[in-house]
């Protein structure tokens, strides 16, 4: 969009924005970070205080210290967010082995099932225009792509930005503009793995600002799913931010994302649509502490990180912002989940959720608008296994596992510097008959299991048992989509590759049961 | 003070406060918490967000994420704060054994040396009235008490509020009003160890508010050293706060302290003296994580806690507040120390520091008023041993030790749930020839020592060596004051006990070299 066009649209929107807003459902923006930890925000204690814009967003909105992902890994977390359903229901899990984290690397055959109904599909009923910017991760084969599942627009990529690859054994990951590829990472979309420099966040920022301007001008309600991946290894930042933080490249990436979020919020204000836009900020899983200090964020006081069902793996930073609707400067102790973003978005848009399936998300409207507290459990899944459940301040572990001795002895550590005997176990340990129970208020770091001989334990155990029995009784697992792998399905020849002369020749199909090591 | 008197004084002060202020040095309030951890503040990430008043103080003032105590234990920390000197210089350490934490239990013979010059003594030169409210901890024998060392007033206690004792083997700790005892803990000053109820924080709050009112009315500049101990085990709170936090009794104590701090700041504003008062909030050492989840705070992302020279033992929450002088909503990355409160207080009061001795404190005025960054090292001492040093973002450990195997095997754990091989050692390990070096920006949790083979290591090692050599060359250790113990010196018959009929008979003197186990 040209500058003149932007100025006109801003002026025009300032005059009509409010009126237009009252005719439509509110705009919805979900800002989903990748592998950013709870402890990475200034407001959640990062010593370097790199997030002045998110801290300001908090002061103007509602902070959720008890907000969770549905799975400690990208793909199932994102599938849960967009379907409002646990991965074990929507199929984003594996049955190849017990309690294993599965996701969508290039060789995955599956993706989001045609039977699932995604948030943007439902928002169409109220004439929303939906755009995803950034990482999709719900399958990269043609039938799984965002424009087949309700999104109207897309700039971004189906997979993580790993690489560079040599395009013979493994192709570089494509970047899509809507339904066709527009280049590949490390080719048209540069990431310098050595220096950490890339302009991707700036590209995703500009795309977001432009989309918002366009919809404001068109007076159409919009859903923007803004999912940059700069904080996922290999972490990157643009030149202006490189070297600017107190803690290296990861912090630089955080600073650039924070700056971008500040710009997006300021843009909403300048367009005069801030009172008609719900913005929700969160992350897809805990910080990847196994990646060492240079490529990983912080999980603050919590145990372990990404891939695990300890708090460090699943508790997420979360802020809701809607000036005039959500009271400024509030803290909600509500137990929340990324799946609630599905239900809450539908609620504010005035769309009923599907009634032919179980929805795990909760409509947080009473929380956002009246600071109510809704009673609900949080289930911590790893693959096909419910590992733990939280009710109120209590968390009960039915299974514990960090990672295998085999991996651990190779130096892969999901809980570096942390070890709680009997808790951070290196074999999957079942505690079904006598779950490990922690009080997360007293003990957010899951270091002091409550004595099984105490009355407190017996009382909590009774309550938790009822919740778990009900959950498991009603649970009908969906068809697992992440069981099969095949090198032939990789991003050799994405749609649009012909036009760009970037089609690659796939190898012969030779599918195998994916091996998910942890 | 009666209500009417207060009202009159408030009205009067509102009119004349500003004028009066400009004639005198500014008022100085140091709020020193006991065993409160860096991670206990909302603004530093505590998930329960129990500190809205401290968070607001931060928004109105300057936050210091890199602020340190001079020793990971009460007594030496407090001695350093009030003298501006490292404990190894001012004598608040022991030579009975290597690298041991010493403090002032009831059986200590020594206390603050007559040769040391304390902050309130120096402030007298500018006609300051000085009051200490709460815990002193620089020696309880008559010659060591606050009114012998520059304070004009005192309400509080010389020791920790351990107890209750039976008054035959061990006396209960006295509470002083100025130079005479006015009762004892667990007797006139109740603490219910079972329920955790005590009104002490309310008493200390009221005493602080009254003192401020009186000095404002008298137009005399004041120094208030407000040192409540509710967050030191056994933690306590008053009835209104018990059960109110998300994390039990410790959180209740934090909420009450936070509420009190809010009231003190509001009182300054209502008296119209906020633009003439420097308020500094901090804590004396890291959270006592060895006390388990019910009696201990949080050190956020940092390693270990109280008693250790890891970040969890020595990094403190810190906020400076002076509306109109300190820019609101700022974060300073300055490396700061409790000893700087000595030098900075003298500076703003217009008093020169003593020139006959080494002062380790730094005048932070340029930081507070211009957000400058001053280059300076932080030394981490444990008893007589410099264990580590920080320059910039780098920390070099010359010695590592958590606690002994003997204690550890008894279940005393200074780093519960945390273990970094080769770092959290259970024997004192010397690394003088090749210090363990961490980048605290990348790695605030001290989990990833920098490879000794890297250029980064060699560069930092060279710089750090120069700093340490200079420090040790100039260091003349003071006479150790914490070597001798004697049951006869306990608080049997404090001054004023006759009047109250509360004198107890001491046993025969039988001094021994104190045994400091860690
Ligand atoms: Ca992720
Ligand atoms: Ca202390």
């Amino acid at each position: 969009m040209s500058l003149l066009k932007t100025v006109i649209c801003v002026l025009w929107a300032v005059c009509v924005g409010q009126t237009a807003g009252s005719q439509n459902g509110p705009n919805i923006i979900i800002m989903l970070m990748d592998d950013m930890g709870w402890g990475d925000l200034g407001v959640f204690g990062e010593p370097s205080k790199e997030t002045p814009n998110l801290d300001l967003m908090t002061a103007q909105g509602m902070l959720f210290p008890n907000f969770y992902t549905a799975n400690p890994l990208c793909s199932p977390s994102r599938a849960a967010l967009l379907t409002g359903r646990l991965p074990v229901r929507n199929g984003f899990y594996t049955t190849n082995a017990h309690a294993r984290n599965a996701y969508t690397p290039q060789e995955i055959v599956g993706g989001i099932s045609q039977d699932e109904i995604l948030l943007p599909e439902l928002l169409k009923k109220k004439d929303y225009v939906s755009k995803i910017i950034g990482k999709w991760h719900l399958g990269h084969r043609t039938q799984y792509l965002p424009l087949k599942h309700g999104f109207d627009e897309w700039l971004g990529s189906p997979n993580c930005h790993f690489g560079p690859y040599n395009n013979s054994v493994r192709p570089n990951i494509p970047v899509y503009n809507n339904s066709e590829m527009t280049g590949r990472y490390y080719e048209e979309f540069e990431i310098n793995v050595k220096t950490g420099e890339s302009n991707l966040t700036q590209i995703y920022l500009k795309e977001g600002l432009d989309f918002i301007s366009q919809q404001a001008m068109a007076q159409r309600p919009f859903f923007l799913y803004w999912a940059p991946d700069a904080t996922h290894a290999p972490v990157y930042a643009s030149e202006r931010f490189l070297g600017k933080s107190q803690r290296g490249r990861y912090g630089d990436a955080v600073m650039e994302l924070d700056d971008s979020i500040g710009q997006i919020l300021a843009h909403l204000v300048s367009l005069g649509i801030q009172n008609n836009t719900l913005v929700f900020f969160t992350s897809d899983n805990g910080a990847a502490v196994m990646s060492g200090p240079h490529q990983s964020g912080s999980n603050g006081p919590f145990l372990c990180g990404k891939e695990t069902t300890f708090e460090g793996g699943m508790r997420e930073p979360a802020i809701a912002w809607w000036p005039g609707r959500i009271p400024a400067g509030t803290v909600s102790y509500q137990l929340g989940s990324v799946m609630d973003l599905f239900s809450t978005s539908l609620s504010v848009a005035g769309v009923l959720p599907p009634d032919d399936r179980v929805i795990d998300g909760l409509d947080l409207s009473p929380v956002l608008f009246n600071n109510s507290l809704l009673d609900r459990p949080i289930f911590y899944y790893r693959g096909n296994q419910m590992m733990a459940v939280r009710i109120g301040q209590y968390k009960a572990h039915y299974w514990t596992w960090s990672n295998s001795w085999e991996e651990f002895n190779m130096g892969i550590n999901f809980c570096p510097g942390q070890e709680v005997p009997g808790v951070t176990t290196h074999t999957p340990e079942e505690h079904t008959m006598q779950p490990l129970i922690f009080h997360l208020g007293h003990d957010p770091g899951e270091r002091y299991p409550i004595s099984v001989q105490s009355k407190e334990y017996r009382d909590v155990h009774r309550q938790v048992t009822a919740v778990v029995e009900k959950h498991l009784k009603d649970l009908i697992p969906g068809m697992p989509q992440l069981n099969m792998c095949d090198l032939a399905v990789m991003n050799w020849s994405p749609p649009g590759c012909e036009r760009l002369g970037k089609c690659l020749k796939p190898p012969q199909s030779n599918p195998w049961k994916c091996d998910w090591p942890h």
Side-chain angles (χ1 to χ4, degrees), chain A:
Chain A
M1 180 181 287
S2 72
L3 181 63
L4 180 64
K5 223 168 137 189
T6 305
V7 168
I8 292 170
C9 116
V10 166
L11 290 173
W12 179 85
V14 166
C15 302
V16 304
Q18 296 303 73
T19 323
S22 59
Q23 294 163 341
N24 293 319
N27 308 308
I28 297 162
I29 301 179
I30 296 175
M31 297 170 163
L32 186 73
M33 302 300 110
D34 200 346
D35 290 10
M36 192 182 278
W38 190 95
D40 281 322
L41 273 55
V43 76
F44 281 135
E46 212 295 315
S48 312
K49 299 282 166 193
E50 291 151 353
T51 59
N53 292 289
L54 285 164
D55 299 350
L56 184 63
M57 182 181 178
T58 303
Q60 298 171 344
M62 184 175 276
L63 184 68
F64 289 87
N66 297 321
F67 200 85
Y68 290 89
T69 180
N71 232 84
L73 202 61
C74 307
S75 295
S77 168
R78 288 155 195 255
L81 188 158
L82 289 171
T83 62
R85 286 151 57 79
L86 283 167
V88 73
R89 293 194 218 274
N90 68 31
F92 255 61
Y93 73 106
T94 183
T95 49
N96 289 357
H98 175 247
R100 299 296 170 102
N101 295 312
Y103 71 109
T104 56
Q106 283 203 75
E107 54 267 41
I108 198 77
V109 171
I112 189 70
S113 162
Q114 206 53 53
D115 297 336
E116 293 297 316
I117 309 174
L118 273 62
L119 177 57
E121 295 180 70
L122 291 160
L123 290 175
K124 275 196 200 311
K125 294 183 186 174
K126 293 283 181 178
D127 206 29
Y128 276 72
V129 183
S130 296
K131 178 159 194 158
I132 164 174
I133 297 176
K135 182 158 126 182
W136 169 240
H137 231 202
L138 302 194
H140 59 282
R141 296 175 68 204
T142 314
Q143 66 269 38
Y144 301 126
L145 294 177
L147 271 60
K148 302 277 187 187
H149 290 268
F151 283 99
D152 301 295
E153 301 181 18
W154 181 26
L155 183 76
S157 171
N159 308 86
C160 291
H161 57 276
F162 292 129
Y165 300 120
N166 64 2
N167 281 338
S168 60
V169 175
R170 183 171 276 263
N172 275 320
I173 302 291
V175 175
Y176 279 75
N177 186 11
N178 298 327
S179 53
E180 295 203 342
M181 79 180 280
T182 179
R184 292 187 193 264
Y185 283 142
Y186 303 95
E187 298 174 17
E188 291 74 14
F189 293 84
E190 277 183 70
I191 303 170
N192 186 324
V193 196
K194 206 155 177 183
T195 65
E197 184 176 345
S198 173
N199 285 324
L200 278 166
T201 299
Q202 291 304 313
I203 291 170
Y204 292 153
L205 167 61
K206 184 174 180 309
E207 192 76 9
L209 296 174
D210 286 351
F211 174 72
I212 292 167
S213 300
Q214 286 154 21
Q215 304 320 315
M217 189 161 66
Q219 287 190 263
R220 283 191 68 180
F222 65 82
F223 167 46
L224 172 59
Y225 176 47
W226 195 70
D229 58 0
T231 43
H232 187 295
V235 303
Y236 59 79
S238 65
E239 197 192 352
R240 183 155 73 89
F241 291 93
L242 271 185
K244 288 296 187 296
S245 80
Q246 304 272 305
R247 54 171 176 158
R249 199 174 291 178
Y250 182 87
D252 302 341
V254 171
M255 284 181 79
E256 184 166 14
L257 291 167
D258 176 77
D259 180 82
S260 300
I261 288 160
Q263 287 194 49
I264 291 171
L265 298 184
H267 191 56
L268 297 172
V269 172
S270 78
L271 290 171
I273 58 174
Q274 77 276 19
N275 296 330
N276 195 37
T277 305
L278 168 62
V279 184
F280 204 98
F281 168 90
T282 190
S283 180
D284 68 342
N285 50 250
V289 291
M290 78 291 265
S291 302
H294 293 274
Q295 300 273 336
S296 159
S298 163
N299 293 316
F302 301 125
L303 188 62
C304 306
K306 179 174 176 177
E307 306 275 8
T308 78
T309 47
F310 301 110
E311 291 298 289
M314 295 193 56
R315 204 187 295 212
E316 305 303 329
I319 310 165
W321 186 90
W322 186 349
R325 287 301 308 278
I326 295 174
T330 41
V331 174
S332 171
Y333 298 116
Q334 175 67 44
L335 304 192
S337 161
V338 292
M339 297 181 292
D340 301 345
L341 302 183
F342 174 89
S343 302
T344 308
S345 296
L346 291 181
S347 169
V348 300
V351 179
L352 288 174
D355 58 3
D356 63 343
R357 62 195 67 205
V358 175
I359 300 292
D360 296 287
L362 197 65
D363 174 9
L364 295 180
S365 302
V367 179
L368 296 175
F369 307 136
N370 305 318
N371 215 340
S372 302
L373 269 182
L374 310 172
D375 189 28
R376 73 94 67 87
I378 294 289
F379 297 103
Y380 301 68
Y381 269 86
R382 184 161 176 166
N384 61 340
Q385 180 61 52
M386 193 208 76
M387 304 284 287
V389 59
R390 175 173 179 178
I391 55 168
Q393 293 275 28
Y394 293 98
K395 178 174 177 182
H397 289 269
Y398 286 77
W399 283 84
T400 52
W401 192 30
S402 52
N403 62 344
S404 65
W405 282 118
E406 196 182 345
E407 279 193 337
F408 185 72
N409 291 336
M410 283 164 56
I412 301 171
N413 189 346
F414 289 177
C415 317
Q418 298 177 316
E419 198 170 323
V420 185
V423 179
T424 54
T425 58
H426 285 291
T427 48
E429 298 285 338
E430 184 167 8
H431 311 273
T432 306
M433 297 313 291
Q434 196 174 72
L436 297 175
I437 299 181
F438 296 91
H439 186 292
L440 294 179
H442 298 154
D443 179 22
E446 295 168 282
R447 287 170 167 80
Y448 305 94
I450 294 172
S451 163
V452 295
Q453 278 155 21
S454 65
K455 181 173 179 306
E456 185 181 16
Y457 185 94
R458 289 194 304 274
D459 291 347
V460 176
H461 190 197
R462 193 180 323 111
Q463 291 172 50
V464 135
T465 301
V467 169
V468 169
E469 279 180 356
K470 181 173 181 313
H471 174 69
L472 295 179
K473 189 169 72 66
D474 297 347
L475 182 71
I476 302 164
M479 182 80 74
Q481 304 293 325
L482 306 180
N483 280 354
M484 295 307 296
C485 288
D486 187 347
L487 295 180
V489 304
M490 297 204 288
N491 293 290
W492 303 104
S493 298
C497 68
E498 305 83 355
R499 204 174 35 82
L500 299 173
K502 296 190 76 79
C503 301
L504 300 167
K505 197 176 144 29
Q508 277 252 299
S509 174
N510 185 14
W512 76 93
K513 272 176 114 173
C514 314
D515 175 43
W516 304 112
H518 43 249

